[in-house]
Amino acid sequence: MIRCMAIDDEPLALQQIAAYIGKVPYLELAAQCQSALEARQFLMNDTVDAIFCDINMPDLNGMDFVKSLSAPPLIVFTTAYAEYAVEGFKVDAVDYLLKPFGLQDFQRAASRLKERLSPNLGGGGSDDTIFLKTEYRIVKVSIPAIRYVEAMSEYLKVYIDGEAKPIITLLSMKKLEERLPANFMRIHRSYIINLDKIQEVNKNRVIMDQETFLPIGDMFKETFQSYLDAKFLGK
């Protein structure tokens, strides 16, 4: 899980960022602040992995606030002023969201955060492999080979390319979701899919192959539809 802080002096803008964070499964809202000074006070006693930070704020603007941090976390700047973009990337910002921005733009920034942090989420091993315990064995799994994951009570079924049977492991969806890269998406309380393995989307189902039809849960529809909209070509 990526712990995030949202900073914006406009209450409605702050509420929007907090709401968007709540829609991304691998983001967690640790704090929301209406000024850089309030954020600085929070960081004296706690840490975050990423900050969504407005630039044009009174007392201390977002750019100067980030520059003042001795070890800043990952930064996504949010502002209504396009002229700040170049300066934002000078301080190695992960992304720059120009207001007003929608959920699709926010998800793009969130994916970039996850890509930056993925080597640090979930422990050791190379970026594209994980180890799962199944029965009395510990098996190495190539992440790109994972087709989809199904929750089954306290266990997970991990379906792998070329394997007739899934790997069954005692693990939570949340724990695995934190480790998977941005091309994986949760589409249902019981399913995480590899977006690269989708064959077809039919109404409220994702078709992975001729025998696998996975439902899209109501609370995940908006996020999944935003992904489709970004990839869709046509009228």
Side-chain angles (χ1 to χ4, degrees), residues 80-117:
Y81 301 94
E83 61 267 24
Y84 286 122
V86 174
E87 189 177 356
F89 286 113
K90 284 182 180 178
V91 296
D92 194 30
V94 173
D95 208 342
Y96 178 94
L97 293 173
L98 185 63
K99 298 178 182 179
F101 54 86
L103 179 60
Q104 183 177 323
D105 296 318
F106 185 87
Q107 288 172 327
R108 179 201 69 212
S111 293
R112 290 179 177 175
L113 286 175
K114 190 173 184 180
E115 288 168 6
R116 287 275 197 105
L117 288 169

Side-chain angles (χ1 to χ4, degrees), residues 35-86:
S35 71
L37 297 178
E38 183 183 346
R40 179 182 284 173
Q41 187 68 31
F42 176 87
L43 292 175
M44 291 176 64
N45 302 302
D46 209 335
T47 61
V48 295
D49 301 307
I51 298 176
F52 291 88
C53 185
D54 187 27
I55 294 178
N56 192 30
M57 296 185 290
D59 298 323
L60 179 63
N61 72 48
M63 194 71 65
D64 290 338
F65 164 67
V66 171
K67 291 178 180 178
S68 74
L69 299 176
S70 57
L74 297 181
I75 304 295
V76 175
F77 282 118
T78 63
T79 184
Y81 301 94
E83 61 267 24
Y84 286 122
V86 174

Side-chain angles (χ1 to χ4, degrees), residues 1-3 24-28 114 121-122 149 151 153-156 171-180 186 188-189 192:
M1 191 68 72
I2 302 174
R3 283 171 53 82
V24 179
Y26 52 83
L27 297 186
E28 174 189 0
K114 190 173 184 180
L121 297 176
V149 180
S153 186
E154 297 179 350
Y155 292 83
L156 298 182
L171 190 66
S172 70
M173 287 285 269
K174 180 180 178 182
K175 182 90 171 180
L176 182 59
E177 191 173 21
E178 289 173 0
R179 181 62 181 86
L180 295 174
R186 193 164 184 175
H188 188 275
R189 290 182 61 187
I192 297 172

Side-chain angles (χ1 to χ4, degrees), residues 150-157 168 190:
E150 179 183 2
M152 183 183 64
S153 186
E154 297 179 350
Y155 292 83
L156 298 182
K157 291 182 177 180
I168 300 177
S190 299

